Amino acid sequence: MSAPPAETDKQRRLRARLVELVSTMAPGEPLPAERDLARELGVARMTLRRAVDGLVGDGVLVRRQGAGTFVAPAKVAHRLAANSFSADMRARGLRPGSRTLRSGLAPAGVVLAALLEVPTGTPVLHVRRLRLADDEPMAVEDLHVPADLVPGLTGADLEDRSYYELLAERYGHRIASGTQTAEAALTSAEDAAVLGVEPGSPAFCFERTCRVDGGRVAEFVRSVYRGDRYRIMADIFPS
């Protein structure tokens, strides 16, 4: 496979001018019309389009089908630590929220039963929620909880409420420990539709299990976060 052609001085200058323009604009602000911008920058529309494509690929700009090209929203930084979504967003100065997409009880299959450490066939509450930050979609979450741990809990209860807070306030269970994994992913068509991004967009996938006092597993959660709004940070300590 041949290497991609090296960037020319003209392309670098055009990219730098575009980055300078974007730096003066607010997140979510639309880029000027392609024809007007190409005329202002003194380049062909095809040349401009390639430069814009590069900034879209870098996450500086985002395209919305049928609407245009916009400055990408600022990313929310997340340190590698297990924490509730609500606490995470509040710590970053954002207002957390959630909308229940669907919920229901179903018997645990072999894999889910192993994750929750319950017998196969145990009733499990599954709640699928859209998690919001300042009313904008941030993540889609699938929460699985042993039903006998939270009798009477419904998806409606979790509208704009933290599961951890409900667990403590209503059921007297405090989260004591947890394990979380994170990996890069691409959004499925179903997840993309509720997150407001194109299918196949970059994302972060988190999977978490947490235990309450006494050691019982209180949840298995799988969350898909928008890659254009979320950033992971890790502290480094010299050895």
Side-chain angles (χ1 to χ4, degrees), residues 103-107 123-126 145 147 153:
S103 64
L105 289 171
V124 170
L125 174 67
H126 171 209
V145 186
L153 186 68

Side-chain angles (χ1 to χ4, degrees), residues 13-223:
R13 287 195 298 270
L14 174 58
R15 177 185 175 85
R17 292 182 68 187
L18 281 173
V19 169
E20 183 179 5
L21 170 64
V22 170
S23 70
T24 67
M25 301 169 67
E29 188 175 344
L31 208 62
E34 185 181 87
R35 179 178 56 238
D36 297 337
L37 188 56
R39 183 171 60 248
E40 180 180 336
L41 296 175
V43 297
R45 291 177 66 177
M46 184 62 71
T47 302
L48 173 65
R49 195 172 300 147
R50 283 196 293 268
V52 169
D53 287 343
L55 293 184
V56 169
D58 291 342
V60 176
L61 300 170
V62 293
R63 279 206 178 91
R64 297 175 188 162
Q65 193 168 3
T69 305
F70 300 80
V71 178
K75 292 188 177 183
V76 176
H78 171 69
R79 292 192 181 277
L80 287 176
N83 204 353
S84 76
F85 177 88
S86 298
D88 187 23
M89 293 301 109
R90 290 184 190 123
R92 283 150 183 78
L94 300 172
R95 186 178 67 259
S98 65
R99 188 165 74 243
T100 297
L101 303 175
R102 62 176 181 267
S103 64
L105 289 171
V110 174
V111 174
L112 186 56
L115 289 166
L116 294 174
E117 297 182 1
V118 296
T120 302
T122 297
V124 170
L125 174 67
H126 171 209
V127 181
R128 182 171 173 81
R129 293 193 288 174
L130 177 63
R131 307 311 302 266
L132 308 169
D134 283 349
D135 298 323
E136 290 292 322
M138 176 66 77
V140 61
E141 169 192 283
D142 286 285
L143 169 68
H144 304 270
V145 186
D148 68 323
L149 185 72
V150 288
L153 186 68
T154 67
D157 294 327
L158 291 167
E159 287 271 354
D160 290 322
R161 288 294 307 273
S162 163
Y163 168 62
Y164 290 176
E165 290 172 4
L166 272 172
L167 193 63
E169 294 169 7
R170 185 181 297 183
Y171 300 101
H173 298 303
R174 187 183 68 84
I175 295 294
S177 64
T179 301
Q180 180 167 276
T181 63
E183 63 181 358
L186 300 177
T187 53
S188 66
E190 182 181 3
D191 290 343
V194 295
L195 290 173
V197 299
E198 292 293 319
S201 296
F204 293 108
C205 178
F206 293 89
E207 291 188 349
R208 182 173 70 244
T209 55
C210 284
R211 298 177 185 274
V212 292
D213 287 332
R216 186 170 181 191
V217 177
E219 66 171 357
F220 169 68
V221 183
R222 183 179 187 274
S223 303

